[in-house]
Amino acid sequence: MSTTPDARFVPPPRAGERGMLEARLDCHRATLALKCQGFDDARLRHAPVPPWAVTLLGPVQHPAGVERAWLQRVFAGRDLPLVYEAAAPVTPPGA
């Protein structure tokens, strides 16, 4: 499997369904970890552009919730609670 200059694995161009899913998830997880590298918990929760509540933690929580919902609740049929509560809607400035 090939890698990017920052050592993330590149998903194969062809694979079985499970292999492709696992490779893509691994690539996306590694990308998120790379983007958040060096930030402490407080910085990940800081909204850099007030009044928006968007933080770097959102792009980490969203895929975690999506993976749990699809892989555990839908495909595996498990009755599990959602990982994160739905956040209040974000209203853009001037709206």
Side-chain angles (χ1 to χ4, degrees):
M1 191 179 296
S2 61
T3 60
T4 62
D6 54 20
R8 289 175 293 144
F9 288 106
V10 176
R14 291 187 191 91
E17 286 183 27
R18 185 179 183 108
M20 183 64 76
L21 174 64
E22 289 175 348
R24 293 241 175 239
L25 288 174
D26 288 344
C27 180
H28 288 295
R29 290 176 188 139
T31 300
L32 282 170
L34 180 70
K35 299 296 181 185
C36 294
Q37 189 174 9
F39 290 106
D40 62 10
D41 186 63
R43 188 71 179 142
L44 288 171
R45 295 174 187 275
H46 174 72
V49 185
W52 287 20
V54 178
T55 68
L56 287 174
L57 196 56
V60 173
Q61 289 179 332
H62 177 72
V66 170
E67 279 187 39
R68 181 179 173 100
W70 277 104
L71 300 177
Q72 297 294 321
R73 298 178 79 197
V74 175
F75 294 141
R78 296 183 178 149
D79 185 23
L80 299 173
L82 296 175
V83 177
Y84 303 103
E85 294 294 322
V90 176
T91 304

